[in-house]
Amino acid sequence: MVKIPVRGRAALITAAVLVAVTLIWLPAYRIFFVISVGIGVVIAGGIHLWHKLFPVREEDTENKRPLGLS
């Protein structure tokens, strides 16, 4: 297994470059990527809309310290 020893912003840039290279190199991956991003955007939008319409209030939560730690 190859491990790239980068962290933080460099790791994010490395991941973006690897995805871009894969999108260019493998045409079938483009379809999978577009479908995956589309599903992710729809789900994120749904969650955002749900929390906008039904926000979580402080009185809705129970047992804020389940272990009794202060």
Side-chain angles (χ1 to χ4, degrees), residues 7 29 59 69-70:
R7 295 181 188 263
Y29 185 71
E59 57 269 8
L69 304 173
S70 22

Side-chain angles (χ1 to χ4, degrees), residues 4-7 10 15-16 21-22 28 30 35 47 50 53 61 63 65 68:
I4 302 172
V6 292
R7 295 181 188 263
V21 167
T22 306
R30 294 177 203 159
I35 292 170
I47 292 172
W50 177 265
L53 295 174
T61 59
N63 200 5
R65 300 198 185 273

Side-chain angles (χ1 to χ4, degrees), residues 2-7 14 18:
V2 177
K3 184 174 179 182
I4 302 172
V6 292
R7 295 181 188 263
T14 302
L18 288 174

